[in-house]
């Protein structure tokens, strides 16, 4: 497991149980939300007519897929918040019928908010922020710790062959366009960033600030 991965509690135990697992570098496995099996949810057009599985505040959906190389992967959802109660969207995630570590009992997905009108100016000239309204738009989010104790997206182990992921609603509604199984999210090293900056012609700052 990469040293950059911070693991706590049951999540650490889960990673330790697969300590010899690799991090395969493969193309994303993209599973359309409407392809869900064993679900009572229905698909609706959102975001310009693209179909999304409309998951309500209760119920669940399962997606099946094949893995060619066993190892740790990230999972991300392409989704759109559905205007509901206004709270964060919360989901419980099962891998092959089980919740592998307790963090997956409650995974949050954010809503999008914006100004509901022009700024307001009071009688003394002070500007007052307009009321905030929900502006649903398509988003992509990893399964991760929203609090930030675990800084990188969760690593999920899959065996070679057929696997399933089940997403159960805990709170609020969302439309799911795609479930994506991806190689571990990677970041450039300092050396790679440095070489990129040189290639772009960036110069070191010299002299004194005046």
């Amino acid at each position: 497991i990469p040293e950059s991965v911070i693991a706590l509690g049951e999540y650490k135990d889960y990673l330790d149980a697969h300590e010899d697992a690799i991090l395969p570098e493969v193309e994303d496995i993209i599973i359309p939300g409407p392809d869900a099996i064993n679900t009572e949810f229905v698909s609706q057009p959102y975001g310009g007519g693209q179909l999304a599985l409309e998951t309500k505040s209760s119920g669940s959906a399962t997606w099946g897929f094949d893995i060619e190389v066993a190892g740790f992967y990230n999972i991300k959802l392409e989704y759109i918040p559905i205007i509901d109660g206004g709270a964060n969207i919360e989901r419980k995630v099962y891998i092959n019928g089980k919740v592998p570590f307790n963090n997956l009992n409650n995974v949050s997905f954010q809503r999008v908010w914006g100004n509901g009108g022009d700024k307001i100016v009071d009688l003394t000239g002070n500007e007052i922020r307009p009321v905030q309204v929900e502006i649903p738009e398509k988003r992509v989010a990893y399964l991760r710790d929203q609090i930030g104790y675990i800084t990188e997206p969760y690593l999920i182990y899959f065996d070679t062959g057929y696997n399933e992921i089940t997403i159960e609603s805990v709170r609020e509604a969302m439309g799911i366009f795609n479930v994506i199984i991806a190689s571990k999210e990677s970041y450039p090293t300092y050396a790679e960033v440095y070489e990129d900056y040189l290639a772009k012609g960036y110069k070191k700052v010299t002299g004194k600030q005046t």
Side-chain angles (χ1 to χ4, degrees):
I1 302 305
E3 293 181 358
S4 62
V5 174
I6 297 175
L8 303 170
E10 281 193 9
Y11 182 49
K12 181 180 186 304
D13 295 338
Y14 173 72
L15 296 183
D16 289 346
H18 302 283
E19 60 181 355
D20 296 325
I22 65 172
L23 299 169
E25 294 186 8
V26 299
E27 293 186 1
D28 289 354
I29 300 172
I30 302 174
I31 314 158
D35 286 357
I37 57 178
N38 300 328
T39 183
E40 64 270 37
F41 300 135
V42 297
S43 298
Q44 302 286 352
Y46 286 96
Q50 183 180 355
L51 284 178
L53 188 70
E54 188 179 67
T55 66
K56 304 291 189 179
S57 58
S58 63
S60 65
T62 298
W63 293 267
F65 55 94
D66 290 314
I67 289 289
E68 293 186 0
V69 181
F72 280 117
Y73 291 83
N74 288 153
I75 299 174
K76 49 187 176 180
L77 297 188
E78 185 178 19
Y79 74 98
I80 187 168
I82 296 174
I83 295 177
D84 195 355
N88 282 346
I89 301 160
E90 297 177 5
R91 294 294 184 267
K92 184 175 184 177
V93 180
Y94 300 79
I95 304 299
N96 294 317
K98 297 180 180 179
V99 179
F101 50 91
N102 58 9
N103 305 67
L104 292 185
N105 280 309
N106 197 310
V107 180
S108 294
F109 298 89
Q110 303 299 312
R111 296 185 173 278
V112 182
W113 300 87
N115 293 335
D118 295 331
K119 64 184 179 183
I120 303 170
V121 180
D122 65 19
L123 295 176
T124 59
N126 297 313
E127 294 184 358
I128 302 172
R129 187 177 65 181
V131 63
Q132 297 294 288
V133 297
E134 188 170 356
I135 307 174
E137 64 180 33
K138 185 186 297 184
R139 299 173 64 85
V140 177
Y142 285 93
L143 301 190
R144 67 188 311 151
D145 174 22
Q146 297 296 329
I147 297 176
Y149 290 127
I150 300 170
T151 56
E152 296 191 1
Y154 296 131
L155 291 174
I156 307 296
Y157 180 81
F158 292 111
D159 271 322
T160 303
Y162 181 77
N163 288 268
E164 290 184 346
I165 176 173
T166 299
I167 297 178
E168 180 181 316
S169 298
V170 176
R171 185 168 68 168
E172 301 286 336
M174 69 190 298
I176 299 177
F177 294 108
N178 291 298
V179 178
I180 303 167
I181 314 300
S183 297
K184 179 187 176 296
E185 184 184 39
S186 61
Y187 306 94
T189 64
Y190 175 83
E192 290 171 338
V193 173
Y194 180 75
E195 292 298 324
D196 182 56
Y197 284 179
L198 291 180
K200 292 178 178 177
Y202 296 172
K203 303 295 183 181
K204 290 185 178 180
V205 176
T206 58
K208 295 182 179 180
Q209 184 177 357
T210 60

